[in-house]
Amino acid sequence: GAGVSQSPSNKVTEKGKDVELRCDPISGHTALYWYRQSLGQGLEFLIYFQGNSAPDKSGLPSDRFSAERTGGSVSTLTIQRTQQEDSAVYLCASHQNTEAFFGQGTRLTVV
Amino acid sequence: AQSVSQHNHHVILSEAASLELGCNYSYGGTVNLFWYVQYPGQHLQLLLKYFSGDPLVKGIKGFEAEFIKSKFSFNLRKPSVQWSDTAEYLCAVRVGAGGGNKLTFGTGTQLKVEL
């Protein structure tokens, strides 16, 4: 596609439920990031995929968070047993040797 | 690991005022530097970038940034802001000359321009 696509754009879930957020990067981009943007907070790095290398998971806030990138393209961020503090906008970005291009984000609200 | 500092978290200016937003990073080697902007309701987009060459970089909408290696800084400037510049501004650094390294973002500066 022309840009980075994320789905869903909005997600409301009950506390304790699991959620999956999807990111379709720009075709051919080998690097893919997940970030979290909370109200009043900056951009928080979660996880980074680069080609076939092992992902950099150093930003994941707890073991309830995990991400996969299948076939070097689509990525899924999974949050298990969601908590209210997980409410945020989850952003995906991809790049190929230049600047990163961001998706519109998924606004997650845990009630 | 590299870090990026943006010391101004919230800035309020009147239209036509000059703007300078600070960005400092901690890595001493080769870096690529970026400023991103997020207008209300829109996604993050690139404002300008520095890879090499002239340390004074011109971006869109009249913005510029100067890379000062000795100060580990990449401050964003605009001589005269407009109401439409109200947005969040994020500085980012990527270590190394190649494209395979991770971007590190600062915490952002929320700019509000008043009429």
Side-chain angles (χ1 to χ4, degrees):
Chain A
V4 178
S5 177
Q6 291 186 246
S7 59
S9 54
N10 281 284
K11 175 74 176 176
V12 180
T13 190
E14 292 181 351
K15 178 181 172 182
K17 301 283 190 184
D18 298 352
V19 294
E20 280 191 356
L21 312 180
R22 177 186 167 104
C23 173
D24 277 285
I26 293 173
S27 178
H29 281 191
T30 58
L32 186 148
Y33 305 78
W34 282 98
Y35 290 92
R36 179 166 72 175
Q37 195 172 34
S38 304
L39 190 63
Q41 306 292 319
L43 209 58
E44 178 187 4
F45 165 74
L46 297 177
I47 188 168
Y48 169 59
F49 296 90
Q50 173 57 46
N52 295 322
S53 303
D56 177 352
K57 303 180 182 180
S58 60
L60 294 178
S62 78
D63 59 9
R64 296 186 295 105
F65 288 72
S66 63
E68 291 184 337
R69 189 177 184 194
T70 53
S73 181
V74 171
S75 178
T76 303
L77 177 70
T78 301
I79 309 173
Q80 296 178 309
R81 304 181 303 281
T82 51
Q83 304 294 312
Q84 288 186 327
E85 61 262 29
D86 299 335
S87 296
V89 176
Y90 289 81
L91 293 169
C92 176
S94 71
H95 77 77
Q96 179 70 23
N97 295 331
T98 56
E99 71 270 19
F101 294 85
F102 283 83
Q104 291 272 22
T106 294
R107 181 175 297 279
L108 176 66
T109 304
V110 182
V111 297
Chain B
Q2 67 272 20
S3 64
V4 180
S5 298
Q6 291 183 246
H7 303 293
N8 313 106
H9 299 297
H10 291 90
V11 174
I12 302 174
L13 295 174
S14 299
E15 269 206 326
S18 64
L19 170 72
E20 180 160 1
L21 301 181
C23 174
N24 290 87
Y25 60 94
S26 63
Y27 185 73
T30 301
V31 291
N32 300 151
L33 298 158
F34 308 84
W35 275 97
Y36 282 82
V37 61
Q38 187 171 28
Y39 298 103
Q42 296 188 27
H43 64 277
L44 274 162
Q45 56 189 287
L46 184 72
L47 196 56
L48 48 77
K49 62 186 177 185
Y50 171 81
F51 276 52
S52 64
D54 188 345
L56 184 62
V57 179
K58 304 283 187 183
I60 60 173
K61 303 187 180 186
F63 285 91
E64 66 179 31
E66 185 175 12
F67 170 50
I68 303 180
K69 190 173 183 178
S70 61
K71 294 185 177 181
F72 301 92
S73 70
F74 190 56
N75 292 355
L76 181 70
R77 300 194 293 250
K78 185 170 183 178
S80 176
V81 295
Q82 299 174 302
W83 177 79
S84 58
D85 293 325
T86 294
E88 182 164 25
Y89 293 82
L90 291 111
C91 180
V93 173
R94 184 168 62 219
V95 168
N101 298 317
K102 188 179 73 182
L103 274 174
T104 299
F105 280 86
T107 51
T109 297
Q110 186 65 48
L111 171 67
K112 182 178 180 182
V113 180
E114 297 178 332
L115 294 170

